[in-house]
Amino acid sequence: MDFTQLLSNFLPAGLLDHFVITDFKEAVRNKEKQTSFFIYLEEKNELPDGYEASLYESKGFYEEKTVQDFPIRGKALYLVVKRRRWRLKSDPNIIIRSDYSFIADGVKLTQEVADFLKGTGRDPRRYNE
């Protein structure tokens, strides 16, 4: 089992269908000096469904976002996500991106984590950073 396969066991189902792991770090995140894990993900260079590949070109990434996921061994787990953007070749003002429903709208948690917290009666927005 390679490192990517090992880390994939700690990620939301289907995430690696659209992203590749580019890095993994263990670092101090907060004032309490608690150690956290960071998994860095970069969107694959695959145009979203429904668009003609010959009409669009990849034009880099949006600013990365940090999403909190389930803790591992008592340490917080953060997914640092870089999403791609594509530009219409004939009109550079038209930019498209993929839509991912596994990230909860309005919170910095994966949909799985948000659903889990909602199920326990806790408000997931309380955990934003």
Side-chain angles (χ1 to χ4, degrees):
M1 179 181 291
D2 71 14
F3 192 64
T4 299
Q5 286 178 312
L6 177 66
L7 286 178
S8 71
N9 292 303
F10 300 101
L11 296 172
L15 188 67
L16 293 182
D17 294 342
H18 306 281
F19 291 86
V20 294
I21 297 171
T22 59
D23 201 1
F24 173 82
K25 294 181 182 176
E26 185 175 1
V28 175
R29 171 129 173 117
N30 54 28
K31 294 176 186 174
E32 292 82 24
K33 303 213 187 291
Q34 294 174 330
T35 303
S36 301
F37 294 120
F38 294 83
I39 298 176
Y40 292 81
L41 301 158
E42 186 175 285
E43 186 173 10
K44 293 179 180 178
N45 192 7
E46 297 172 355
L47 193 65
D49 289 338
Y51 294 93
E52 176 61 43
S54 64
L55 301 177
Y56 290 86
E57 59 188 344
S58 178
K59 290 311 279 184
F61 296 91
Y62 288 99
E63 186 176 331
E64 66 185 27
K65 302 242 179 184
T66 302
V67 180
Q68 188 173 10
D69 203 0
F70 287 106
I72 300 174
R73 299 297 237 163
K75 296 180 182 182
L77 173 62
Y78 295 94
L79 309 178
V80 183
V81 182
K82 284 176 66 175
R83 294 180 60 192
R84 286 193 182 272
R85 60 181 171 186
W86 289 269
R87 181 176 71 182
L88 183 61
K89 291 177 184 177
S90 63
D91 185 351
N93 294 318
I94 297 178
I95 304 289
I96 61 168
R97 66 179 181 180
S98 298
D99 178 38
Y100 296 107
S101 60
F102 57 81
I103 298 179
D105 189 28
V107 296
K108 292 185 178 181
L109 302 170
T110 62
Q111 187 66 52
E112 289 176 77
V113 176
D115 289 344
F116 169 78
L117 293 175
K118 288 176 187 174
T120 62
R122 292 186 273 174
D123 184 354
R125 289 176 291 252
R126 183 173 152 239
Y127 298 92
N128 280 349
E129 294 197 350

